[in-house]
Amino acid sequence: MEELRAGGARLGVVTSRTRDEYDEEFLPYGLGDMFGVSICADDTDRPKPEADPLLEYLRRSGGDRADALSVGDSGYDLLCAQAAGGHRGHALWGTGCRPHRDPPHPFGAPAALLP
């Protein structure tokens, strides 16, 4: 993630966790400073798989969906990115979620995002 940031990528989080869950389960690992914007389930009226959370992230971060790549590990993540009209990648590491049948831009490890 540090290399992505050093290369000019803006990183963010769009999660199905509530803000309280995010604060309790994510921030203790010291990763909060890596991400400029975090969008949680309670930040929009319609959560994933609707487009709203990702569109809210783009609004708050000043990002453009044409330039954004949303990388997620679940079907809901992929559906959210598809609904938002953005590029989407499937993280095949981490949570043990089953790979999507036909993943768009599959990434086997975080380092695969660098190129």
Side-chain angles (χ1 to χ4, degrees):
M1 286 192 271
E2 290 175 1
E3 288 182 56
L4 287 169
R5 284 181 27 169
R10 288 184 291 175
L11 305 179
V13 172
V14 177
T15 181
S16 294
R17 287 175 170 75
T18 65
R19 180 64 57 187
D20 287 342
E21 290 169 334
Y22 174 80
D23 290 348
E24 291 174 15
E25 299 170 14
F26 189 83
L27 295 183
Y29 292 98
L31 297 173
D33 291 339
M34 287 283 181
F35 304 100
V37 174
S38 60
I39 302 298
C40 296
D42 42 6
D43 288 327
T44 62
D45 291 334
R46 299 182 318 156
K48 295 178 192 176
E50 301 297 330
D52 300 22
L54 189 51
L55 295 175
E56 181 64 13
Y57 167 79
L58 292 170
R59 186 188 71 74
R60 289 188 192 181
S61 69
D64 182 338
R65 77 176 89 189
D67 296 326
L69 172 64
S70 176
V71 179
D73 60 9
S74 76
Y76 281 154
D77 295 328
L78 297 173
L79 290 170
C80 177
Q82 183 177 14
H87 302 284
R88 53 199 174 114
H90 193 182
L92 301 176
W93 72 87
T95 65
C97 290
R98 287 188 358 221
H100 192 328
R101 285 183 308 189
D102 186 22
H105 306 293
F107 296 101
L113 293 163
L114 291 172

